[in-house]
Structures are given as structure tokens and as C-alpha cells.
Amino acid sequence: MGTVLSVLANLTAPTSGVGSFTCQPGHSCWPSLQEWDAFNQTVSGRLKVPVILSSPCFPSSPNFNEEECASVLGSYGDGFFRQSIHGALQNTAWEGCGNENCFPGIVPPRGPICSLGRLSPIYVDVETPDDIAATLAFSKKHDIRIVIKNTGHDYFGRSASANSLAMRTNNLKNMSFEPEFTAYNCPAANKKNIGIIGAGVNAAQATGFFSKHGMSVTAGACPTVGIAGGFGLGGGHGPLTPTHGLMVDQAVEFDVVTTDGVFRTINECNEPDLFWAMRGGGGSSFAVLVNYKFQLHPEVRWATWRIEATLSPESPDITENTVLREILTSVSNEQYQWSKNRVTGYDTVSHTFVSFFQILPDSGDALAKLKKATANFHSFMTTHPGIKVTTDLYQVFDNQPEFYAGEAEGIAAGSIVGASILTPSRLITTDDIETPEKIDALVSAFLQGMETARKQLGEGLAAGVAFFLLKTGAINTPDTVQATSVNPAWRKTLWHVIVIAAWPPGAPKDISDKIAATARDALDVIKAPLSVQAAYFNEADPAEPDWENVFFGEPYEKLLAIKKKWDPDTVLNCAKCVGYLGEQDPMYSCDSKNPIPSVPYPFRQAESAIMDDGNFIIDVQKEL
Ligand SMILES: Cc1cc2nc3c(=O)[nH]c(=O)nc-3n(C[C@H](O)[C@H](O)[C@H](O)COP(=O)(O)OP(=O)(O)OC[C@H]3O[C@@H](n4cnc5c(N)ncnc54)[C@H](O)[C@@H]3O)c2cc1C
Ligand SMILES: *[C@@H]1O[C@H](CO)[C@@H](O)[C@H](O)[C@H]1NC(C)=O
Ligand SMILES: *[C@@H]1O[C@H](CO)[C@@H](O)[C@H](O)[C@H]1NC(C)=O
């Protein structure tokens, strides 16, 4: 236990002043209830306080109800359920703040009280651009940080921040199909078969809607992810990426509200710099998106091949697992040909089990083409004496929604929500498989990384870290005119490799720390031989040290200049985003040594907890 003096020395008083967005509940700058009420009028009564997902499970909560608690626990891992309310995120790691959270005790014991933790204590349920403009104005007037929350999938917790005012965009659900699209004041951007979606539409909603018009959507694998928000602004890869490119490649026009409160329709002719920046530069950085207008593609058939196998290695040392080494070498040898032929997929490998899921959307005989492209690997897997194949299934689906429905189980297994997930990752490019020597170095590093994890975790925690290969690179859509601002490494990417660390909400900190550190150590080994150090901004490690280069690459400086032009006061700030202000911003207190959890509406306990000069006496009292 530290002394009061040492605690005070660690506290930095927020420099509250106009334009700093550091006002916190309890400060004199924090709006009175009358001011919140008046603001509520300007957003047509759409100012709301969240109901925390698991609150029915807490006897101390006014929402306590055992039946409802059971129902919450039953749907705890359902991504649609989690996005249906403001009081939850998909990744539970970002719901807590210090020791405060509302984890329902999946790992006992349950905490004594349900706290807001890191979730914004108040939000505007946005329906119109005017709601956004009014919220921006209120945030500026009172110096309160805003965050934008759509489905809450963000792996860096960017859609929540303690004691901020949230804009919930998830209810912007408009959708329309434009067979002949006329762009705003920009004949060059007139296109056929354009989809228009509100910022809150998710993959399942978009694919369902446009399929009725005979069109498919470059959505991700997970049906619950929002496709216009963080996904559509930061990249957006999926099974159609090797065929048509990333989500940002499809964008033709956006409706946005810029931080000056002005509604704008932007495209390659109107504010082209802002349009370019929002095609890959990330969510919550340049403006608030209202509508996303993008190229659709005629429906095709979807062929899939799932092959799963068990291995029985002689040695526990994974670097000596010769069968796994042969498998990874074979995959590396085939990958360029697969990507060129638009075969995509999702694989996971462990010491004793491998699962390869290959997908080919194609207007011709998709199944025959997939079988041809995978014939070598099929024969390798099914004839190798050290490989015991447990599943070997080719299927074909008539359209995109049927693909999602038919493969739902496998897809869900690879997109866990309602748990705490960390995703250290790297993009593996064509340069990394240029020669047999390079393939050997890559495969060796992969096995060594897996061995690092095995040794560090031991048997008890082995399930905490998993190795995923996503074959969703964009090598067939080069973007020669740099119409998008996404990391250029995507254009050479064959695999997006993720070392996934997962633990249940409320797991003891020494365990979660160990799992997280192990995933990072394993990735460090895997990334060593890579020719380019690049990672996908939306699925990476928030602690990435060289984040500007690794996440954005060469476009970073240009993106930063555009950020400064369109958001000179950094109204929009988020973790490791373009122009990120750093960890000192009180919006990140939950990640610091002095976490300040959200104070619930009507912000009463804050008055005694936080003195007006900004010193946080509540922490001092705890220390005493
Ligand atoms: C289970 C799971 C599966 C995934 N699968 C894929 C996949 O297949 N492919 C892929 O590319 N990615 C995938 N992702 C990553 C995903 O792209 C990101 O999490 C993305 O940020 C989600 O965007 P969202 O708007 O749905 O989420 P949110 O967390 O609500 O928002 C993400 C970020 O975008 C900002 N934002 C949201 N809406 C707006 C808006 N209207 N205007 C401005 N900023 C906004 C938020 O402030 C936040 O910074 C997956 C993530 C998870 C958890
Ligand atoms: C905002 O107004 C609506 C409609 O009057 C009301 O239902 C809601 O509770 C108000 N929000 C807050 C935070 O007071
Ligand atoms: C959604 O569509 C309705 C009906 O066309 C329209 O009035 C409304 O302005 C649209 N909302 C947004 C945010 O574009």
C-alpha cells in the first residue's frame, strides 16, 4: 500500500480547459442536470442512460432478476444480442475499468456490484445528422470527450471510454439499392449497382437485404460486425476480398458530419482528401459517418471445402513436429496460386489439430474450380500417413446468405465474443514466400512461435492462445491510383495471421496477463523473419509499439495532415488512431494506474469523489 503522498504524486490533474475534452463528472465544467435536460431537447429526447447487460445478475442492482440473468447468461456470447444494447461491448476486456465491471461471474466469484466500468454513462441514440451535430456542439461547449459506438466490436476498446458522452450509431439502419447511382455533383462517380447503408447496418442485415436484389456484399466472415463503421472505414476484409478487394475499395460516396457540425456528402470530386482518408484511415478519426455508399457485386455461388485432421506428434516440442511443418510448408507452397484464383478462407492450427476452411465464390462452376485449385493439398492431406483426416467436406451454396447460414457453426467458432480477446497480428505478404528459403524461415518461425506459447502456458492454459491464418489478402486489387488510404501492405497480403489470446471476463489478472503476454511473445517470434512489418488496424495489438508504421504504413503522414485539417481540435480521439493524443488523455484512465470508472447518471457520487481542482481523492481514500 502506498502512502497518500506517493499516490498524490502519481496523480496528474487533468488540464481542463476549452478544447481539451477532459471535463469529468464532478468538475465545475460538467453540465448540470438542467443542462443535460436542455441538451436532451436538442436531440429530440434521444439522450439515454445505458442499462448494463449483466445488471440483472447483481442482487445490489435495481434490475436484479434471476430469470433475466439466466437469459443474459444464455446469450452472453451472441454478437447480435450484445450490440442490441448500449450497455455492452463485444470484447469484455474493454467493459471493465480497474477492478470495476459488470461481469456476471462466468468465472466465479462475481463482483459485489455491477459498475459501468469503461462504458460511457450517457449516450445519444443517433437517428439524424442533426443529432450528431448537436452532440458535437455539446461536447465542445462542455469540454466532454465523445466516443462513437456502433456494434462495439472494436478490439482496442475504441467504442467505449469512461465518463465520455457516446454517440450510438447502431440504429442508423437505412438500406437502399441503386441500380443506377447518381453521385453528388460528380459524374465520374456515377455507378451501377450501388448499395447505400446507414452507419449502423451489420453484415447479416446487408447481405440479407442486397441478396434480395441479386447482389452480394464485401462483408467480413462474422455476420454481426458492422460493415459501415470501423470495418468500412478501416479496411474490411472478408471472403470476397481476393475477388473484389476490401470494403474500402467498394466505397463511392459517404454522407458524413464533420467535427464542425456540417453535414457533407463526400466523394472523389467533393472533399476528396476527406473521402480518401475515410477509405482506410480508420473509424472515429476524421468525421462521423452517416451513410456508406458502395459497389455491390452480382450474386454468385459459393463453394467451400473444410478439411480437419488430428496429428499425433511424437515429441511435445512443436518445433520437432515434422508433420505440422510439412502441412504449413504445403500451404505456403499453394497459397499464391489459391489467392490468385480467388480462393479465400480461414484456418487454425495447433500441435495436434488442424482445420482448413477454403471458400471460392464464383459465377461459373464454383465447386469444380475449388476442387481443382485445392487438388494438390487435398491429396497431400488425405494420403499422408501422419495425418488423420476427421472431416473432408466440399459444399456449394446458391448465394451469400446461404453460405453464411450453412457455415454458421464454423464461422461462429472463429469469431468469439462475450469474452476478453487480444489479437496480436501480422500481414504475411507475397515477399515472405518468394523462395523455398523464405518459406522455410516463415514456417520455422511459426512453429517456434507455437512452441513459445506451449512452453509458457503449460497444459492448463493451453486453450488461452490460438493460431489463426486468414486467407483474406487483397493481392488481386492493386489500387494503383491509391484511391484508398488503407495500409498498402494489404495489396501484397496472402495471410492475415492472428495469435488470438482469450480469457473469460473476470479471470484472475495473473492468468489473463500471462495469456496476453504469451500471445505477444509468440507473435514476436513469428514476425521476426517477415519482410514487411504490417498489421490490420482493426485486428491487432493495442500495445503495438511502432503503431503508426505497422498499422498505416506510408500513408500515415498524409492521413495526419488531413486529420489536422478536418479535426483541428481532436474532437475525435481514439487508441492508436491517426493523430492519437496518447495515454495521458483522461479518456484512457481505465488503461492507466489510476483508473476512473464511469460515474453513473445523475453523476452524484462524483461530487464527493473528485475535487474540483481535478485531484481524484477517491483513489487516495481507497489507499488509506
Ligand atoms: C468477432 C469479430 C469478428 C470480426 N471479423 C472481421 C472480419 O471478418 N473482417 C474485418 O475486416 N474485421 C473483422 N473484425 C474487426 C472489425 O472490423 C472491427 O472490430 C471494427 O472496428 C468493427 O466496427 P464496428 O463499427 O462494428 O464496431 P465499433 O466497435 O462500434 O466501432 C469501431 C470503431 O469505429 C468507430 N465508428 C463506428 N461507427 C462509426 C461512424 N459511424 N463514424 C465514425 N466512426 C465510427 C468507433 O468509434 C470505433 O473507433 C471482427 C471483429 C470481431 C470482434
Ligand atoms: C430524454 O428525454 C426523453 C423523452 O422525454 C426521456 O425519456 C429520457 O429519459 C431523457 N433522457 C435523460 C437522460 O434524461
Ligand atoms: C433514412 O431513410 C428515411 C426514409 O427515406 C429518410 O427520411 C431519412 O432521412 C434517412 N436517414 C438517414 C440518416 O439518412
Side-chain angles (χ1 to χ4, degrees):
M1 283 283 127
T3 64
V4 174
L5 275 182
S6 74
V7 171
L8 281 175
N10 285 334
L11 296 173
T12 38
T15 49
S16 190
V18 173
S20 63
F21 302 100
T22 52
C23 189
Q24 300 274 300
H27 292 173
S28 57
C29 51
W30 193 258
S32 65
L33 292 186
Q34 288 76 9
E35 285 170 307
W36 283 109
D37 276 345
F39 171 50
N40 195 3
Q41 308 285 312
T42 69
V43 293
S44 312
R46 292 194 269 268
L47 184 68
K48 299 182 181 174
V49 294
V51 175
I52 298 299
L53 184 82
S54 306
S55 57
C57 302
F58 289 77
S60 58
S61 159
N63 303 330
F64 180 59
N65 180 316
E66 278 175 37
E67 248 171 66
E68 265 181 53
C69 172
S71 137
V72 165
L73 292 183
S75 306
Y76 203 71
D78 178 340
F80 294 114
F81 175 61
R82 299 191 80 83
Q83 71 191 260
S84 71
I85 65 164
H86 180 75
L89 297 169
Q90 305 286 338
N91 188 338
T92 53
W94 303 112
E95 290 184 349
C97 185
N99 291 324
E100 295 200 21
N101 57 61
C102 191
F103 298 148
I106 289 178
V107 174
R110 174 185 294 165
I113 54 161
C114 168
S115 156
L116 282 168
R118 205 167 179 278
L119 291 155
S120 309
I122 191 156
Y123 67 101
V124 176
D125 208 345
V126 169
E127 280 182 31
T128 69
D130 287 346
D131 295 342
I132 297 170
T135 308
L136 288 164
F138 189 78
S139 125
K140 283 186 196 169
K141 180 166 174 208
H142 296 280
D143 253 333
I144 299 173
R145 178 64 71 196
I146 47 165
V147 297
I148 308 166
K149 177 173 185 263
N150 177 19
T151 65
H153 275 82
D154 199 89
Y155 279 120
F156 289 19
R158 296 173 181 120
S159 36
S161 166
N163 297 307
S164 65
L165 166 60
M167 266 191 258
R168 182 163 190 249
T169 53
N170 194 242
N171 284 322
L172 292 170
K173 295 286 191 195
N174 278 359
M175 281 191 266
S176 69
F177 172 55
E178 309 281 331
E180 301 289 339
F181 172 72
T182 307
Y184 168 67
N185 205 7
C186 187
N190 291 350
K191 295 263 153 58
K192 289 191 192 311
N193 298 335
I194 294 301
I196 304 183
I197 56 173
V201 169
N202 64 36
Q205 291 160 340
T207 52
F209 177 84
F210 293 109
S211 177
K212 295 200 183 89
H213 297 280
M215 293 286 148
S216 60
V217 179
T218 49
C222 175
T224 70
V225 176
I227 62 169
F231 177 93
L233 301 173
H237 65 83
L240 283 171
T241 302
T243 305
H244 300 300
L246 300 161
M247 187 69 195
V248 293
D249 291 321
Q250 321 306 319
V252 295
E253 187 168 287
F254 299 144
D255 294 331
V256 303
V257 177
T258 40
T259 58
D260 54 6
V262 177
F263 176 85
R264 298 167 201 269
T265 297
I266 60 172
N267 53 34
E268 61 178 87
C269 310
N270 300 280
E271 316 303 356
D273 60 341
L274 182 61
F275 183 57
W276 175 82
M278 291 181 79
R279 289 179 77 182
S284 216
S285 299
F286 306 95
V288 185
L289 181 95
V290 180
N291 289 306
Y292 200 102
K293 309 175 197 181
F294 63 104
Q295 187 68 59
L296 298 163
H297 301 278
E299 274 282 18
V300 293
R301 305 185 115 202
W302 290 60
T304 63
W305 175 42
R306 188 179 288 281
I307 184 158
E308 294 177 349
T310 54
L311 317 176
S312 314
E314 276 161 21
S315 159
D317 183 337
I318 302 181
T319 61
E320 287 169 18
N321 189 330
T322 50
V323 179
L324 186 56
R325 181 180 293 272
E326 281 178 57
I327 294 174
L328 291 173
T329 304
S330 178
V331 169
S332 306
N333 286 329
E334 294 293 329
Q335 187 59 55
Y336 186 73
Q337 177 262 118
W338 285 338
S339 293
K340 272 286 155 203
N341 286 306
R342 299 170 293 104
V343 175
T344 173
Y346 301 85
D347 305 338
T348 170
V349 296
S350 80
H351 194 25
T352 52
F353 175 76
V354 295
S355 166
F356 296 95
F357 177 40
Q358 325 258 2
I359 307 159
L360 179 60
D362 191 277
S363 58
D365 190 343
L367 191 57
K369 285 184 187 170
L370 180 62
K371 282 188 171 165
K372 187 169 171 233
T374 54
N376 271 344
F377 189 59
H378 183 263
S379 126
F380 165 82
M381 288 293 288
T382 50
T383 57
H384 195 297
I387 300 174
K388 185 170 181 290
V389 171
T390 52
T391 302
D392 176 10
L393 178 67
Y394 282 93
Q395 282 182 280
V396 65
F397 302 98
D398 277 342
N399 56 42
Q400 191 172 24
E402 281 184 25
F403 157 77
Y404 280 103
E407 298 287 359
E409 210 178 300
I411 288 171
S415 31
I416 304 158
V417 301
S420 295
I421 311 275
L422 178 77
T423 56
S425 68
R426 277 298 182 271
L427 300 178
I428 313 280
T429 66
T430 48
D431 297 343
D432 299 317
I433 56 148
E434 256 172 0
T435 62
E437 291 72 33
K438 284 194 174 183
I439 289 181
D440 196 47
L442 179 67
V443 171
S444 295
F446 208 90
L447 295 174
Q448 189 68 55
M450 293 175 73
E451 173 63 8
T452 299
R454 185 192 69 87
K455 276 212 284 244
Q456 291 187 18
L457 292 175
E459 250 170 58
L461 292 180
V465 171
F467 295 79
F468 278 79
L469 280 99
L470 282 60
K471 297 184 288 225
T472 50
I475 71 163
N476 299 317
T477 43
D479 193 19
T480 42
V481 296
Q482 289 171 352
T484 72
S485 53
V486 83
N487 191 329
W490 269 113
R491 309 299 170 183
K492 300 200 287 184
T493 292
L494 299 171
W495 293 312
H496 165 30
V497 164
I498 313 181
V499 181
I500 293 191
W503 58 92
K509 193 169 176 332
D510 56 330
I511 295 199
S512 56
D513 282 354
K514 188 171 175 181
I515 292 173
T518 300
R520 289 178 168 138
D521 290 347
L523 185 80
D524 281 345
V525 175
I526 293 174
K527 78 185 190 195
L530 302 182
S531 47
V532 186
Q533 295 297 335
Y536 177 34
F537 166 84
N538 277 336
E539 292 173 311
D541 185 349
E544 179 70 53
D546 187 23
W547 61 272
E548 291 97 329
N549 288 317
V550 171
F551 296 165
F552 299 93
E554 178 259 301
Y556 187 77
E557 291 306 319
K558 192 174 161 193
L559 284 166
L560 185 60
I562 294 170
K563 161 82 176 176
K564 287 184 174 154
K565 174 179 164 192
W566 286 99
D567 184 16
D569 302 326
T570 316
V571 174
L572 300 171
N573 183 34
C574 58
K576 310 287 163 78
C577 296
V578 172
Y580 167 57
L581 292 178
E583 283 160 13
Q584 298 318 310
D585 193 306
M587 79 183 286
Y588 292 110
S589 88
C590 295
D591 308 336
S592 75
K593 290 202 180 85
N594 300 295
I596 321 267
S598 268
V599 177
Y601 182 89
F603 312 112
R604 274 204 202 96
Q605 75 192 60
E607 286 155 27
S608 59
I610 303 176
M611 295 190 305
D612 227 9
D613 64 359
N615 278 324
F616 306 118
I617 61 169
I618 192 171
D619 285 37
V620 177
Q621 281 165 350
K622 268 189 204 156
E623 288 288 323
L624 291 171

